[in-house]
Amino acid sequence: MTLRPLRALAPLLVAACTVRAPPPAAPAPLPSPSAAPGQSAAAAPGQSAAAAPGQSAAAAPGQSAAAAAPRRPAWVERSNEHAKILLDVLARFSPERASALGVERADQEVSDLSPGVEGRLRAAYREAIAELEKRRAAEKDPAVAEDLQILLDAADRAVRGSELEERTRVTYVHATGLVFEGISTLLDDRIPPPRRATALARLRRYAGLEAGHAPIAEQARKRLDQELGKPGLLAPSRMEIERHLATNARVREGIGELFRKYGISGHEEPLAALNRQLEAYDAALRKDVLPKARTDFALPPPLYAYMLELHGVDIPPAELARLAHAAFDDLKAQMQKLSLPIAKARNLPSADYRDVIRALKKEQLVGEAIVPHYKERLAQIEEIIRKERLVTLPERPARIRLGTAAESAEMPAPRMRPPRLLDNQGEAGEFVLPLSLPGPSDQLRRIDDFTYAAASWTLTAHEARPGHELQFASLVERGVSLARAVFAENSANMEGWALYSEAILLPFMPPEGQLVSLQHRLVRAARGFLDPELQAGKITPAAARTFLEKEVVLSPPLSQSEVERYTFRAPGQATSYFYGFTRLMELRRETESMMGPRFDAQRFHDFVLAQGILPPKLLRKAVIERFVPAQPSP
């Protein structure tokens, strides 16, 4: 569990340089969500300079915002003015996340954990809701009115989430993780030097060395001490605290490494003070909190239902689990059929899909060979995308890099680090591969799920192109409104698109890549029933780990990380991959049925990306009402 203000603001948030052939002529721009039939949004910005490995692909020094940002339709500009109401709430109560989005005025600020912050947070939302409702009633433009409703829905979810959290569980703040997020947001290759310099002020405020700022670790401890004594509140889970205690020291080392990497002078004294405070907080967790921590992890059903809603899953947990079980069984049958010719071609002793995947995992990439391999794989995928007209690609290269040890300890999975969404100056997202997963033994530390050739096909499709990297590029480069890019954010859309991206590329992969791509889809189906069944007490964490290792062929550390995700890292979120993918596949089939020979996959995919991060119901509405009628006859 993390700080409640950060979690309450989650509805307001969305959370790789490569070698490639010279790009073709500029692709047609994606259509605006409200573009008239046959019209497009303003053209995307020109190609940015290709970055050398490890360097940022940010705009060149002196490049103006106008040169880096697309021209937006007038209705988008008006919508964005309304969105600033919620951006102000974000900057006030979650400045670290606001910085990540590009709200530069929040760069020096830090989260407030003082008493009464929850009430102040809800009051700010309610004030915002009142103003947005007035504007919604007066709005005549249908597109802007829809965006205003998106903003209202996001604020309402945040209020309900804050109330639920306050009524049900103790505020346990992962203080080291909060600090790492706040500092790494600013100390990043993609961030210009003037913004990086503000990390020192944020560091000093975390350490309580600036007037009006108590040390963040001391605030977190006081909140914890006060709420542990309140009757009726669930104590933090022992599993969560023990996990953080196991990795905090390495994450704190990573904070210092960032300051040294970017040459931020004057950081030594405040960092030393902060580290002492965070170490004291960890000592208090061991001594005073672990004895009171609960041995279970399940959320109260209303809170878990809210978490599903927050991530875009709008069906009951039992129905979700039923659909996921059926999909899991179907995927296993497909994988077994595909494993037979692979085993025969490779002279493997067993054709069982589990054994074939274990054999493929032995072809591990090591060290400096990993990133070049993924860059080459991305170039192959982009060639397929262009040849098969799957989706429109940006002109600029994508970015891929290995994560640092601290990043891998804090978030032990491949991921996309989004670019700033506000006033973007050419910054791009990054596909980050983890180094290893920390664990209590050398055996548990070894992970083989991401660094072998057959896996690079589906991982690159998911995290880079045509998945998350392309999705975030569309938000930045096509002029999508902030309401649709930020405040409609939900995992069902984001992760559903990324898993769908794997699926549309799968027919063009070699057999080994297809098998592992189906295995990754199998993981997502397993999440669809393991997450709710763990919360319902139908399966234990140990049994879930064993199931993932045996049936899904995940390594022990990745299986452990998966179970942590379902139990305390982000309950409910992991189900959104399967659910979002299922809904998007249903929408595609419905659209193809309605359009017949008029259906064009590239136009469909471009339109979907142009809508922003809409939940499944709103995305369907856009496709049926705007895309289908606008497409020409074949």
Side-chain angles (χ1 to χ4, degrees), residues 212-472:
H213 292 273
I216 195 75
E218 293 181 10
Q219 292 185 60
R221 182 174 177 179
K222 286 180 181 178
R223 287 286 297 272
L224 192 53
D225 290 343
Q226 291 169 357
E227 295 190 15
L228 278 172
K230 292 182 179 180
L233 293 183
L234 287 175
S237 168
R238 173 179 290 272
M239 293 170 59
E240 181 174 17
I241 296 175
E242 288 178 338
R243 177 61 177 177
H244 293 157
L245 291 175
T247 58
N248 279 347
R250 185 64 196 90
V251 175
R252 287 194 289 269
E253 289 175 10
I255 296 170
E257 290 167 358
L258 286 172
F259 278 102
R260 291 188 292 274
K261 174 182 176 180
Y262 292 104
I264 307 297
S265 60
H267 75 274
E268 293 84 358
E269 180 184 353
L271 181 60
L274 177 63
N275 280 337
R276 289 192 296 269
Q277 296 159 5
L278 292 172
E279 289 165 4
Y281 181 55
D282 282 1
L285 290 176
R286 289 189 180 91
K287 179 176 180 293
D288 301 325
V289 181
L290 274 180
K292 302 176 183 178
R294 59 189 179 117
T295 56
D296 67 340
F297 52 83
L299 300 178
L303 184 55
Y304 184 63
Y306 170 80
M307 290 300 179
L308 291 175
E309 176 194 346
L310 185 64
H311 297 303
V313 179
D314 54 10
I315 61 175
E319 183 180 351
L320 174 69
R322 180 184 60 77
L323 292 172
H325 272 294
F328 189 90
D329 292 341
D330 179 66
L331 285 164
K332 281 179 61 175
Q334 293 182 52
M335 292 170 66
Q336 189 55 53
K337 182 178 180 180
L338 188 56
S339 292
L340 296 174
I342 296 174
K344 182 177 180 180
R346 288 172 166 259
N347 294 316
L348 298 178
S350 170
D352 184 277
Y353 77 87
R354 306 165 188 84
D355 294 326
V356 173
I357 292 173
R358 292 186 186 102
L360 294 175
K361 281 188 173 188
K362 294 178 181 178
E363 300 173 358
Q364 287 288 309
L365 304 161
V366 180
E368 295 181 356
I370 296 173
V371 171
H373 172 87
Y374 270 88
K375 290 179 178 180
E376 181 180 355
R377 183 68 77 227
L378 177 60
Q380 292 175 288
I381 288 174
E382 288 180 325
E383 183 178 352
I384 292 169
I385 291 172
R386 293 190 186 96
K387 179 182 178 183
E388 303 297 334
R389 296 187 67 254
L390 296 179
V391 68
T392 300
L393 290 174
E395 295 179 70
R396 56 162 185 77
R399 293 172 56 93
I400 304 175
R401 69 172 174 86
L402 283 177
T404 66
E407 286 175 319
S408 301
E410 186 63 16
M411 181 60 69
R415 62 199 179 280
M416 169 56 53
R417 289 195 66 189
R420 63 184 290 176
L421 297 181
L422 279 69
D423 301 321
N424 188 286
Q425 301 295 298
E427 300 95 334
E430 292 182 321
F431 171 19
V432 181
L433 286 157
L435 284 173
S436 61
L437 300 183
S441 69
D442 288 341
Q443 182 177 2
L444 192 58
R445 292 176 65 90
R446 289 196 292 270
I447 181 169
D448 59 7
D449 302 87
F450 312 131
T451 49
Y452 65 107
S456 63
W457 283 98
T458 201
L459 282 169
T460 304
H462 184 101
E463 301 291 352
R465 294 175 179 173
H468 286 317
E469 194 275 346
L470 184 57
Q471 191 174 38
F472 284 110

Side-chain angles (χ1 to χ4, degrees), residues 53 117 433 550:
V117 66
L433 286 157
K550 180 180 177 182

Side-chain angles (χ1 to χ4, degrees), residues 540-595:
T540 66
R545 286 194 297 271
T546 299
F547 181 86
L548 290 168
E549 291 177 33
K550 180 180 177 182
E551 298 298 326
V552 190
V553 205
L554 299 187
S555 64
L558 185 56
S559 298
Q560 173 68 24
S561 178
E562 283 287 312
V563 172
E564 289 174 356
R565 186 175 190 169
Y566 315 152
T567 53
F568 65 81
R569 283 187 184 274
Q573 188 273 340
T575 68
S576 64
Y577 296 71
F578 169 75
Y579 186 72
F581 169 74
T582 300
R583 290 293 174 254
L584 189 51
M585 289 296 292
E586 289 174 350
L587 177 59
R588 165 138 183 192
R589 287 192 292 267
E590 181 181 8
T591 306
E592 286 187 279
S593 176
M594 293 176 67
M595 297 183 68

Side-chain angles (χ1 to χ4, degrees), residues 335 338-339 341-343 345-346 356 360 454 457 506-518:
M335 292 170 66
L338 188 56
S339 292
I342 296 174
R346 288 172 166 259
V356 173
L360 294 175
W457 283 98
L506 184 143
F508 311 105
M509 298 177 186
E512 291 85 352
Q514 291 182 3
L515 178 62
V516 178
S517 189
L518 290 176

Side-chain angles (χ1 to χ4, degrees), residues 84-126:
K84 288 179 181 178
I85 293 175
L86 292 192
L87 283 177
D88 287 342
V89 179
L90 184 68
R92 179 180 171 189
F93 291 96
S94 187
E96 295 89 351
R97 298 291 179 88
S99 290
L101 285 173
V103 183
E104 295 188 14
R105 69 180 186 275
D107 284 352
Q108 299 186 33
E109 304 301 328
V110 300
S111 289
D112 176 17
L113 310 185
S114 61
V117 66
E118 294 290 352
R120 295 192 295 274
L121 174 74
R122 292 192 293 271
Y125 276 131
R126 290 183 176 119

